[in-house]
Amino acid sequence: MTGPRRSRRWPLGRTRIVYAPAPRAWPVRFDVTTAYAPALLTMLRTGNTTPGPALPAGRPAWRWLSAGALVPLLLTAALLASVGYTYGLGRPVQATVAANDYGRCRVTWTDPWDTTPRDAKVECGNEHAGPLVVTALQWPLRGRAVDRTFTPWLWGFPIVLLLAMGLTTAAATLIREAGSWRLPATPRPPGQARV
């Protein structure tokens, strides 16, 4: 085998090129990005090492946003937006517990925007009675309330989990991309001592 040949196409935009400069020479393998493979093949076939046309541009700077990282990060952003809507735009009000049904309390309060009496069910402890601070929601969910003890934890767990998944996937993508920038090691002929 002489001259370069494309041996196989790897997933994720990688190509392996095997090059043997002479009939009985030890072959050299290049694992390159698929976009660079035609330029490298042409250079190896012609022996022309003078600068030719520019190599294709690499992936954009936001390459770490693969689909595997983007979905959890978008879900995290949506959950953070809902938390911001609830606790940022809502107002804490003093509510009276009217009934307790195994951890779901029916509470009554006065709407902080138009002083209308309101009632809703919120999470509370099994033995809770008396006043309870809840968050009265803004438009379009006006008239609803959210507790300030259980629900933040309920939202916090998926936010942390999705954020960790997204950042881990983004880091794995960056590590995979960084591995594609390294030059491949040159193989040693059989019997040659390691230096």
Side-chain angles (χ1 to χ4, degrees):
M1 172 190 94
T2 60
R5 67 180 174 84
R6 182 180 286 189
S7 66
R8 77 182 249 200
R9 182 170 248 204
W10 295 89
L12 302 171
R14 309 280 298 148
T15 300
R16 173 171 282 177
I17 295 174
V18 179
Y19 174 65
R24 298 187 55 93
W26 191 262
V28 178
R29 291 178 183 88
F30 297 97
D31 290 333
V32 296
T33 306
T34 304
Y36 293 105
L40 181 61
L41 281 170
T42 304
M43 186 189 79
L44 291 172
R45 284 186 182 132
T46 62
N48 184 7
T49 58
T50 59
L55 291 172
R59 293 181 65 186
W62 46 268
R63 67 186 161 271
W64 59 273
L65 281 177
S66 65
L70 192 60
V71 171
L73 291 177
L74 286 176
L75 288 173
T76 302
L79 281 172
L80 286 174
S82 67
V83 169
Y85 164 78
T86 302
Y87 294 104
L89 297 178
R91 291 201 185 152
V93 294
Q94 188 80 18
T96 305
V97 177
N100 188 341
D101 187 24
Y102 301 106
R104 294 279 297 166
C105 294
R106 176 164 292 286
V107 295
T108 58
W109 75 94
T110 303
D111 193 310
W113 291 281
D114 62 3
T115 65
T116 307
R118 306 274 186 180
D119 66 11
K121 282 191 174 182
V122 298
E123 298 292 329
C124 65
N126 285 337
E127 302 297 323
H128 194 83
L132 179 67
V133 177
V134 297
T135 300
L137 298 180
Q138 181 67 276
W139 180 88
L141 298 176
R142 187 178 251 168
R144 303 234 163 102
V146 178
D147 67 286
R148 299 179 64 85
T149 55
F150 176 73
T151 305
W153 287 102
L154 182 68
W155 276 337
F157 180 71
I159 286 173
V160 169
L161 183 67
L162 288 169
L163 188 61
M165 284 173 45
L167 293 178
T168 302
T169 308
T173 304
L174 276 177
I175 290 169
R176 183 185 72 221
E177 289 293 324
S180 68
W181 297 330
R182 283 189 232 119
L183 292 175
T186 306
R188 290 185 307 275
Q192 182 180 2
R194 183 178 288 221
V195 180

